Amino acid sequence: MSLAPTRTAIPESILQDLNGHHTVTPAEIEYLRENGYVKIKNALTPETIRFFGEVVTDQVKRLNTLDLPMEQRSTYQKAFLQVMNIWTKNDTVKAFSFAPKLARLAAELLEVSGVRMYHDQALYKEPGGGITPWHADQYYWPLSSDRTITAWIPLQETRPEMGPLAFARKTHRMTFGRDIEISDDSEQLIQKTLKEARADIEETPFDLGEVSFHLGWTFHRAGANTSADPRRVMTIIYMDENIRAASPKNKNQENDLRDWCHNTSTGQVVDGPLNPVLWSQKS
Ligand SMILES: O=C(O)CCC(=O)C(=O)O
């Protein structure tokens, strides 16, 4: 797929937002350490969200390859339309996925000196779209440490009936379920374990401009979209700038090592062409 040149000029006020600084509070860092995720209100301006809501949606329409009727889809396919690494295909989206404001927020929350891109992805839960089963992302990633974090950026206000992302508090410390792929099984097994452990779940709506950050091992899910509106979300996955490749533990990690990590050798810093440093206190 060739790079589609950007024809959409980004207004100055939006560039200022993307290049700005959101001061992370010690309480937010502590919350993430304790709970494995944190939701941050007003991380981006409503103007930025509205602008990129249109830009990302155009790209999802252009690049999406899933057109099966809902009733013929698997549970995973019903959960969302998934379009990955849009930054490599559209320069306007690249400006969003590379936003220093978000990358610095990720680095400061992760308590690392800087972050690299793992990949970005749009996750659009269509009206009538199904649940996103419980899972932990890092099952998919051939990485040497737990210093990974996803920014989940709703491109509209996200009401409860649209399937806002839900988090199971403190589950980044659980060792159960780290070998389970997202599936009907993960939904059942993790749900059962969380119930037995009386895990505390946060499932709350997102305001316009609110962004959540969750660690790679935190269990999360989303409800079905029972509304008449699409739940449009852009996500950016960041990793510690010094993270190294680990030997793949499953087929998915083999694929990720090849597709997103330039087949980096085990033990080497993951610094392939798809993994630029997006923010570092060193630069
Ligand atoms: O958007 C969703 O429904 C799931 C998102 C998710 O699993 C993630 O961003 O890690």
Side-chain angles (χ1 to χ4, degrees):
M1 176 73 60
S2 62
L3 190 74
T6 174
R7 289 191 194 87
T8 322
I10 303 175
E12 189 52 40
S13 52
I14 293 180
L15 286 174
Q16 265 179 28
D17 188 27
L18 299 182
N19 290 321
H21 176 43
H22 180 101
T23 308
V24 176
T25 65
E28 285 164 341
I29 294 175
E30 186 53 31
Y31 190 92
L32 178 97
R33 252 193 230 157
E34 262 307 290
N35 296 294
Y37 75 95
V38 64
K39 290 177 75 166
I40 298 190
K41 288 192 192 289
N42 302 312
L44 293 167
T45 65
E47 188 191 12
T48 301
I49 295 295
R50 286 195 193 99
F51 178 83
F52 283 103
E54 287 186 19
V55 171
V56 175
T57 300
D58 285 348
Q59 295 307 312
V60 169
K61 285 185 185 149
R62 185 172 80 88
L63 299 165
N64 170 53
T65 53
L66 178 61
D67 54 8
L68 277 178
M70 199 57 88
E71 61 281 5
Q72 288 175 29
R73 296 187 194 174
S74 66
T75 298
Y76 189 79
Q77 289 171 326
K78 280 182 186 149
F80 37 63
L81 305 179
Q82 179 178 29
V83 183
M84 300 172 91
N85 258 4
I86 309 182
W87 73 267
T88 61
K89 296 163 187 146
N90 178 271
D91 279 348
T92 313
V93 175
K94 183 175 174 182
F96 189 62
S97 296
F98 278 39
K101 187 189 208 180
L102 293 172
R104 181 169 178 182
L105 246 164
E108 292 183 358
L109 287 169
L110 264 187
E111 302 180 84
V112 295
S113 60
V115 288
R116 293 177 183 278
M117 170 66 81
Y118 188 72
H119 65 67
D120 69 17
Q121 60 183 344
L123 298 172
Y124 276 38
K125 204 181 272 298
E126 296 159 279
I131 63 153
T132 307
W134 282 113
H135 67 285
D137 302 327
Q138 201 146 339
Y139 158 83
Y140 291 90
W141 302 339
L143 300 173
S144 63
S145 85
D146 66 355
R147 295 296 82 193
T148 60
I149 196 163
T150 300
W152 196 84
I153 310 161
L155 299 171
Q156 72 290 300
E157 193 188 329
T158 306
R159 307 185 304 275
E161 66 273 20
M162 295 171 82
L165 201 59
F167 307 93
R169 290 195 171 98
K170 302 182 197 283
T171 50
H172 57 307
R173 301 210 190 93
M174 256 188 185
T175 47
F176 167 84
R178 292 190 169 196
D179 53 353
I180 309 179
E181 185 172 359
I182 185 170
S183 58
D184 291 326
D185 279 356
S186 73
E187 173 70 7
Q188 256 186 24
L189 291 168
I190 296 170
Q191 173 70 18
K192 181 168 175 283
T193 303
L194 294 177
K195 207 167 165 197
E196 284 165 5
R198 294 172 196 253
D200 201 5
I201 315 284
E202 170 162 10
E203 186 169 17
T204 47
F206 282 68
D207 292 343
L208 201 62
E210 185 169 8
V211 173
S212 64
F213 289 83
H214 62 270
L215 296 173
W217 285 121
T218 305
F219 286 133
H220 53 286
R221 85 186 285 278
N225 183 1
T226 57
S227 82
D229 304 310
R231 188 217 66 180
R232 302 171 304 150
V233 170
M234 182 64 171
T235 68
I236 307 165
I237 303 164
Y238 303 94
M239 56 188 169
D240 176 3
E241 65 178 339
N242 297 314
I243 212 161
R244 290 166 190 275
S247 173
K249 292 194 177 61
N250 56 50
K251 192 79 197 150
N252 292 301
Q253 292 195 7
E254 278 172 27
N255 294 342
D256 265 36
L257 188 66
R258 183 193 62 227
D259 295 342
W260 313 129
C261 306
H262 204 57
N263 270 327
T264 302
S265 307
T266 301
Q268 298 302 305
V269 172
V270 182
D271 60 358
L274 293 178
N275 314 113
V277 172
L278 299 182
W279 185 83
S280 175
Q281 63 192 26
K282 295 180 209 152
S283 52

